[in-house]
Amino acid sequence: MFGKIKRFQQEDNKIFIEFEEKKVTVEVITPFIINFFAPIKREQRLSKAVENLKIQECSFNVEMKKESIEITTDELQIYIFDNFKVDIYDNEGNVLCQDYRYDREPFVRRGNGADLAAAEGHKVGEESGKYTVEVVKKMEDDMFFYGLGEKTGHLNKKGYHYKMWNTDDPRPHVESHEALYKSIPFFIALKQKKAFGIFFDNTFESHFDMGKENSDYYYFGAVDGNLDYYFIYGPSIKEVLGGYTHLTGKTPMPQLWTLGYQQSRWSYAPDSRVWELADNFRKRDIPCDVLHLDIDYMDGYRVFTWDNEKFPNHEATVGKLKEKGFKVVTIIDPGVKKDKGYNIYDEGIKNNYFATDKDGVPYVNKVWPGDSLYPDFANERVRKWWSENQKIMMDSGVSGIWNDMNEPASFNGPLPDDVMFNNDGVVADHREIHNVYGHYMSKATYEGIKKCTGKRPFVITRACYAGTQKYSTVWTGDNQSFWEHLRMSVPMLMNLGLSGMSFCGTDVGGFSFDCTAELLSRWVQMGCFTPLFRNHACSNTRDHEPWAFDSATEEINRKYIKLRYKLIPYIYDLMWEGENTGLPIIRPLMLHYQEDAKTYEINDEFLFGKNILVAPILEQGKTARMVYLPEGDCWIDYWTKEVFEGGQYIIKEAPLDVCPIYIKEGSILPNYPVQNYIGEKEIEALTLDIYPPKEGTEVKYVHYQDDGESFEYQNGEFNLYEFTVRREAKGIVIDIHNTHKKYRNAYKGFKFKVNGIQISEILVEGKSVNFSIKDGVAEL
Ligand code: GLC
């Protein structure tokens, strides 16, 4: 396809290489990140994911060698050969990633009855695809693959094939589902303890085969579009994520209340039913911040309308709920009902806002409202219109928007390939826009809410592409009330986090099918540690609100929802860390223990930030489990305070009300008092729950505080408190420094709960201060 190398030319950070048959560009983005680009469909690189690409000025060297062009940065050596074959080494000459030099050779499917097997309904004999754009890499020994967004299966993707094509498929999600709602064409490879990432920025249907069709290679390819991929070196996974989010953006700080517990169900209507819920939460002493209204609140499923019979006075209802501490989030789907006289439809038709068929006629398919049209979100004009419409919801007092069905879903068969989108003037068909439809819808929603409220928008989306983390949080769509889906949610959320989507969650209790008391008890234990903590269910399923079963199940829900509220400042700190580093909240163990190979395939434990290890129970009837504690640290059982050395497997008894949780020795965890909802109590004193380090050592923790809702933090209006805990023979010394002091409502005091030993001294800004101890808690 490319032929032999003829010449190259360098301009700033770009190296233009001319092959016999094609010109390509290699661009040094930073010494760790290199872009490889060949204009197969379009001349320019028109990324939907990378906005305002930041190029780091750095020195690198380019030389023509006998057989290759050699590019050397401080971190990498890159060799480009004929046919645009690329080999990449680290700066010590260790191979990291090499192009495979032979043709792909799929394994042979043996058997004599593919037709017969198919007749019985089995899916057999699939051909391996050939792609217009394709890169095949040599499989090295000892490789592990992570990321790829929201996919079924396990944490390590080696040996599997996945498809990037946003898909709304209500059948139970099992390992044979190669595509779900989201497409994030990015993976991380770990090889001999060193990590790199590859981001294949192509929005067409793409495929990632991680050694399934042949264990000698792995490949990525797409049915159309450009060859446009970034190689992102670590060597730590953390650095790869830093690089990937340098390109596609980081999850911004959310409003504080979005971290509270959220209750949803398809069927919360009329308003009396919503009040019943609200009253139950408060009466039963179960904290809750958000109530979601699913499609039932709309007038005939017309977006941006309310059903005046079910919600006759919706503004007053939403307002009164707010007084009681409940925020209302409403669903908005993309499908606009075909209905003359309905203003959204009329405006859309008048201004040509809808996607069309190839002859320019607005394209119609079917979703909840019946015949519906699809706004062309790939067009800035349309996004502007959609974002202005958010005002309708915000004026009703709604606090956030839940975007659903934006793969886009369609009940009358898939959208044909030739449905056309304006794509900001570079007309594109459905094949190119499909995977970014939800991304652009979220962007429009985010921008609209931001403009109209001035606050950090809360948007939830089902479909997304790389980079959607800048605009929206995600949930994993229609799971089922299966133990298998609770189990799968752990690697799925870890991989979403490793793909930039750190604000994510699943439907707690499961969406379809009927939940059981035991399943809900275990799911809330896991959900308590998911950034988006929302219980949701399908209409006509069994109720599964916290009190829907027996009193024991209710008590377990209360216990873990309250634990969540205690941990709110810790989670908010993780969000702050994430906005600065790209690190997720739910982390696979190997993110912090890359040297410990025993962590590489742990699917049923995760780190919640770097201080808390959660090992949820994921099987029915199970009341004990094995837990691996990673090497290099000691771990303290949160419930019993027993201390364990890392680098070992232990057995933890876990009756139904116990989720195994371990705190890293040398942790300082900020806690809030439990509240019915965030903001109910003014937090005058922050509590620090301290798990002291080893004698003779010290640990530091930085806590972040701001107004919890506005963008003022971007102008520096926040506080940072640095706590140092030093363990000496006589006890521990705590030192507090307010290292950034711009937010007016600083804490008035601090409380310290030290697990295991005495406090001997507390210093504030280096000066010893008096403190009193009450019930084991030291107060300033
Ligand atoms: C889709 C969503 C689900 C929602 C339902 C009705 O199935 O994934 O969460 O409840 O539509 O709007």
Side-chain angles (χ1 to χ4, degrees):
M1 183 185 230
F2 296 93
K4 290 195 181 312
I5 296 176
K6 284 173 68 182
R7 60 183 74 88
F8 82 89
Q9 185 199 333
Q10 186 189 342
E11 249 174 59
D12 303 328
N13 62 313
K14 289 196 173 102
I15 302 126
F16 298 99
I17 304 176
E18 199 178 324
F19 291 94
E20 286 166 337
E21 283 157 46
K22 218 155 194 71
K23 288 182 187 160
V24 309
T25 312
V26 176
E27 189 170 359
V28 178
I29 313 287
T30 76
F32 296 85
I33 306 177
I34 315 292
N35 177 263
F36 299 91
F37 177 78
I40 298 187
K41 184 176 179 74
R42 302 189 193 288
E43 279 308 309
Q44 324 87 314
R45 198 164 71 203
L46 289 174
S47 178
K48 316 280 189 215
V50 182
E51 295 174 35
N52 312 318
L53 177 61
K54 287 187 266 355
I55 311 236
Q56 190 183 316
E57 251 183 64
C58 58
S59 60
F60 61 91
N61 190 45
V62 192
E63 260 180 69
M64 187 73 138
K65 293 277 164 90
K66 202 160 146 248
E67 290 186 324
S68 63
I69 297 171
E70 184 184 333
I71 305 167
T72 316
T73 74
D74 285 350
E75 304 298 329
L76 297 168
Q77 297 166 26
I78 301 124
Y79 297 87
I80 318 270
F81 296 86
D82 291 345
N83 285 316
F84 203 13
K85 295 287 177 214
V86 178
D87 291 344
I88 304 175
Y89 296 77
D90 68 14
N91 59 9
E92 287 167 357
N94 302 307
V95 62
L96 294 171
C97 177
Q98 287 184 312
D99 274 347
Y100 190 66
R101 299 300 202 273
Y102 312 97
D103 287 339
R104 275 172 50 203
E105 208 177 308
F107 62 79
V108 179
R109 292 181 186 271
R110 285 179 224 288
N112 51 12
D115 293 351
L116 279 182
E120 202 194 354
H122 297 287
K123 217 173 146 204
V124 285
E126 281 167 87
E127 287 301 311
S128 296
K130 290 271 176 262
Y131 306 104
T132 311
V133 186
E134 184 177 280
V135 177
V136 186
K137 303 277 183 197
K138 181 170 176 282
M139 184 75 80
E140 307 286 344
D141 292 341
D142 192 25
M143 287 192 91
F144 298 82
F145 295 107
Y146 307 106
L148 294 172
E150 170 196 77
K151 294 291 177 229
T152 56
H154 292 82
L155 181 64
N156 177 13
K157 300 303 187 195
K158 186 171 173 183
Y160 290 88
H161 178 117
Y162 295 98
K163 177 162 109 177
M164 297 298 168
W165 185 252
N166 292 351
T167 303
D168 171 29
D169 183 347
R171 289 173 304 168
H173 305 150
V174 293
E175 281 167 44
S176 54
H177 272 59
E178 293 185 335
L180 285 175
Y181 309 92
K182 305 174 183 61
S183 292
I184 308 186
F186 166 68
F187 66 87
I188 297 172
L190 183 62
K191 176 185 159 294
Q192 274 139 25
K193 303 194 170 168
K194 289 189 175 163
F196 65 84
I198 288 188
F199 169 39
F200 178 38
D201 194 5
N202 181 312
T203 67
F204 285 84
E205 176 188 312
S206 64
H207 290 256
F208 287 75
D209 188 298
M210 315 318 282
K212 180 181 183 196
E213 79 167 25
N214 188 324
S215 51
D216 289 344
Y217 57 79
Y218 55 100
Y219 72 79
F220 49 93
V223 299
D224 204 342
N226 285 333
L227 173 67
D228 183 1
Y229 77 94
Y230 298 82
F231 177 89
I232 305 162
Y233 186 45
S236 70
I237 298 175
K238 286 186 225 159
E239 287 161 307
V240 176
L241 261 175
Y244 172 70
T245 53
H246 171 85
L247 297 170
T248 60
K250 299 190 167 65
T251 302
M253 291 302 289
Q255 290 194 57
L256 196 57
W257 60 265
T258 66
L259 301 177
Y261 177 77
Q262 315 199 8
Q263 184 63 49
S264 182
R265 179 186 164 85
W266 176 3
S267 73
Y268 286 157
D271 52 4
S272 54
R273 172 83 178 108
V274 180
W275 277 113
E276 189 190 317
L277 281 166
D279 292 343
N280 258 304
F281 276 107
R282 296 298 180 250
K283 185 176 83 199
R284 293 172 187 272
D285 182 31
I286 300 176
C288 178
D289 264 86
V290 188
L291 299 175
H292 288 251
L293 298 184
D294 205 319
I295 51 175
D296 323 270
Y297 79 90
M298 292 184 229
D299 170 18
Y301 307 127
R302 290 172 187 82
V303 288
F304 304 111
T305 67
W306 288 80
D307 181 322
N308 288 328
E309 272 174 31
K310 293 186 194 144
F311 292 88
N313 205 346
H314 59 265
E315 278 170 33
T317 304
V318 174
K320 279 195 210 136
L321 282 165
K322 209 176 258 175
E323 282 166 23
K324 299 219 175 287
F326 293 99
K327 310 280 191 295
V328 171
V329 168
T330 48
I331 197 166
I332 291 282
D333 294 337
V336 172
K337 186 177 173 68
K338 184 175 176 201
D339 178 22
K340 266 204 189 117
Y342 161 42
N343 63 330
I344 303 290
Y345 170 76
D346 291 344
E347 283 171 24
I349 287 290
K350 187 169 142 228
N351 297 301
N352 299 323
Y353 287 154
F354 297 118
T356 67
D357 67 14
K358 61 180 185 321
D359 302 319
V361 178
Y363 172 76
V364 180
N365 202 311
K366 207 168 166 186
V367 266
W368 306 122
D371 279 354
S372 304
L373 292 89
Y374 294 81
D376 177 359
F377 294 123
N379 183 357
E380 202 179 341
R381 227 163 44 91
V382 179
R383 286 201 296 277
K384 188 159 176 285
W385 168 62
W386 198 259
S387 54
E388 279 159 8
N389 285 330
Q390 305 305 315
K391 189 165 183 307
I392 302 170
M393 303 315 295
M394 297 300 123
D395 285 351
S396 307
V398 160
S399 301
I401 297 290
W402 164 23
N403 285 162
D404 187 23
M405 309 293 276
N406 49 3
E407 293 70 34
S410 49
F411 299 163
N412 259 349
L415 271 65
D417 286 352
D418 60 4
V419 168
M420 302 309 287
F421 297 82
N422 170 287
N423 193 26
D424 289 341
V426 187
V427 175
D429 62 26
H430 177 232
R431 296 172 317 131
E432 187 168 1
I433 300 304
H434 180 88
N435 281 343
V436 284
Y437 193 76
H439 171 82
Y440 275 140
M441 183 187 187
S442 313
K443 180 173 168 147
T445 307
Y446 175 93
E447 283 167 358
I449 299 179
K450 182 171 178 186
K451 185 153 179 232
C452 129
T453 65
K455 292 183 185 165
R456 305 170 205 166
F458 182 49
V459 184
I460 311 181
T461 183
R462 193 170 72 173
C464 79
Y465 183 67
T468 309
Q469 68 267 19
K470 298 185 285 273
Y471 310 116
S472 183
T473 142
V474 292
W475 96 105
T476 58
D478 298 345
N479 58 1
Q480 313 245 347
S481 299
F482 295 167
W483 285 91
E484 177 48 27
H485 278 187
L486 169 60
R487 190 206 58 70
M488 191 174 69
S489 71
V490 183
M492 191 182 270
L493 293 173
M494 290 196 281
N495 276 321
L496 264 171
L498 290 178
S499 310
M501 294 294 332
S502 68
F503 201 163
C504 54
T506 55
D507 284 350
V508 170
F511 179 71
S512 317
F513 204 54
D514 289 332
C515 192
T516 65
E518 187 183 345
L519 180 58
L520 182 66
S521 302
R522 292 306 191 184
W523 213 315
V524 76
Q525 296 173 8
M526 158 74 197
C528 156
F529 296 101
T530 53
L532 180 66
F533 184 18
R534 185 183 76 153
N535 173 317
H536 180 51
C538 186
S539 114
N540 296 305
T541 55
R542 188 199 193 294
D543 283 352
H544 68 232
E545 289 80 13
W547 53 84
F549 294 92
D550 44 62
S551 58
T553 312
E554 181 178 333
E555 186 49 38
I556 290 170
N557 272 268
R558 186 179 294 109
K559 173 174 168 180
Y560 286 90
I561 295 173
K562 286 191 169 179
L563 173 60
R564 166 74 169 212
Y565 278 73
K566 250 175 104 169
L567 291 172
I568 291 290
Y570 176 70
I571 306 172
Y572 202 53
D573 284 344
L574 292 176
M575 287 285 179
W576 168 250
E577 185 188 24
E579 178 165 342
N580 288 293
T581 62
L583 287 182
I585 293 180
I586 293 199
R587 306 175 181 174
L589 270 54
M590 86 283 172
L591 188 72
H592 287 289
Y593 297 91
Q594 204 168 314
E595 288 298 311
D596 180 355
K598 289 207 182 83
T599 63
Y600 293 178
E601 302 240 28
I602 294 186
N603 293 287
D604 59 355
E605 297 176 26
F606 59 92
L607 291 166
F608 188 58
K610 71 170 191 280
N611 302 87
I612 303 180
L613 184 150
V614 185
I617 299 288
L618 305 166
E619 270 177 56
Q620 177 169 326
K622 202 161 181 170
T623 51
R625 62 160 288 171
M626 186 174 76
V627 181
Y628 181 68
L629 298 170
E631 201 169 54
D633 281 305
C634 282
W635 296 89
I636 296 135
D637 183 316
Y638 180 74
W639 305 111
T640 64
K641 308 298 174 204
E642 211 179 329
V643 183
F644 296 93
E645 280 287 332
Q648 62 164 331
Y649 297 91
I650 59 168
I651 302 288
K652 169 71 183 167
E653 299 262 0
L656 193 53
D657 66 333
V658 173
C659 174
I661 302 168
Y662 296 85
I663 312 294
K664 189 162 71 105
E665 185 179 60
S667 287
I668 303 168
L669 305 178
N671 282 175
Y672 274 178
V674 172
Q675 315 172 64
N676 281 311
Y677 57 91
I678 287 164
E680 184 196 27
K681 297 182 181 160
E682 197 182 328
I683 315 292
E684 299 202 325
L686 180 74
T687 301
L688 283 313
D689 189 12
I690 298 176
Y691 293 78
K694 294 215 184 311
E695 198 174 314
T697 65
E698 63 173 40
V699 283
K700 278 191 198 305
Y701 180 83
V702 176
H703 170 66
Y704 172 87
Q705 182 197 29
D706 68 12
D707 67 14
E709 57 177 32
S710 80
F711 281 93
E712 286 306 317
Y713 75 102
Q714 293 180 347
N715 302 324
E717 276 197 30
F718 58 86
N719 294 333
L720 290 176
Y721 304 88
E722 188 182 276
F723 300 97
T724 307
V725 170
R726 205 165 45 249
R727 182 164 176 179
E728 299 177 349
K730 58 180 178 169
I732 71 160
V733 178
I734 302 169
D735 202 351
I736 310 165
H737 287 275
N738 198 175
T739 51
H740 186 99
K741 208 174 178 177
K742 287 276 173 58
Y743 170 55
R744 57 196 181 284
N745 267 343
Y747 297 115
K748 299 196 174 71
F750 297 97
K751 294 181 185 175
F752 299 96
K753 181 172 164 260
V754 183
N755 296 281
I757 52 169
Q758 296 283 323
I759 301 181
S760 61
E761 192 179 13
I762 299 182
L763 307 167
V764 177
E765 305 293 347
K767 285 201 192 89
S768 198
V769 292
N770 292 333
F771 61 94
S772 57
I773 297 201
K774 225 179 18 196
D775 303 330
V777 177
E779 279 190 41
L780 288 195

